[in-house]
Amino acid sequence: MADIKDPENTIIIELKDGPVVIELLPEVAPKHSARMKELARAGKYDGVAFHRVIDGFMAQTGDVEHGREGGDARRAGTGGSDLPDLPAEFSKLPHSRGTLGAARSSNPNSANSQFFINFKDNDFLNGQYTVYGRVVSGMEFVDKITRGEPPANPDRMISVKVAADA
């Protein structure tokens, strides 16, 4: 695992193949970073499916309303948390391989709990979606996530923790 510099702003996602360590960027997107920590600490992300995984693009997850085991799998990707939506926190950071982006509807201020991890540099997303983290280790495990929209048998986040709590 990566050398964790700031445990309070580091997320560890346990996948079937191994841990993914994400460095949050609170100096760039403080509201999105705080939301991810809040939902992780509440256990809301545990067991949530990767409901949209497009080869050569990204893996999307975080629907804490419909994406959990026992939830309505047909609705996965349409829900969020019971917390209010977040305002966009756009920056000059590019959507490069391994960055974490906030998923949203066509409204830039509609991000809530869902996020995606870029499989490659996706510059066409720059300035349109909030970047609030980057994978610092475990990208090889992200690359193994089952593809599909939705996948027939989706991979899930086994657990999501703030490193300071782990």
Side-chain angles (χ1 to χ4, degrees):
M1 226 175 343
D3 181 32
I4 296 173
K5 296 178 184 86
D6 181 2
E8 181 57 31
N9 288 299
T10 302
I11 297 289
I12 302 170
I13 301 175
E14 192 66 43
L15 299 180
K16 71 179 185 338
D17 292 306
V20 177
V21 179
I22 296 171
E23 172 187 60
L24 294 176
L25 304 170
E27 68 284 357
V28 174
K31 290 178 173 65
H32 287 77
S33 297
R35 173 66 55 85
M36 182 162 222
K37 291 190 298 186
E38 181 177 3
L39 292 172
R41 284 187 161 128
K44 299 289 187 177
Y45 284 128
D46 297 353
V48 173
F50 282 90
H51 64 269
R52 184 171 178 240
V53 186
I54 303 171
D55 200 31
F57 180 29
M58 58 88 214
Q60 186 172 332
T61 186
D63 183 344
V64 301
E65 183 178 359
H66 303 297
R68 300 179 77 103
E69 289 215 69
D72 186 350
R74 293 167 302 178
R75 298 200 56 207
T78 64
S81 73
D82 54 3
L83 300 169
D85 288 347
L86 296 168
E89 294 179 298
F90 298 155
S91 69
K92 299 286 186 199
L93 286 179
H95 281 268
S96 55
R97 175 172 164 75
T99 55
L100 193 73
R104 61 170 176 81
S105 71
S106 58
N107 176 352
N109 299 312
S110 64
N112 189 292
S113 63
Q114 292 189 45
F115 62 92
F116 58 91
I117 301 171
N118 289 292
F119 286 132
K120 68 177 197 76
D121 294 352
N122 290 311
D123 293 334
F124 66 95
L125 299 174
N126 294 350
Q128 298 180 61
Y129 291 82
T130 300
V131 174
Y132 65 102
R134 65 172 63 95
V135 173
V136 294
S137 78
M139 194 62 197
E140 67 273 22
F141 306 131
V142 174
D143 289 335
K144 293 180 180 179
I145 295 170
T146 302
R147 301 327 197 235
E149 291 186 78
N153 186 19
D155 286 346
R156 296 181 177 277
M157 296 185 286
I158 296 166
S159 70
V160 180
K161 304 275 184 257
V162 177
D165 305 336

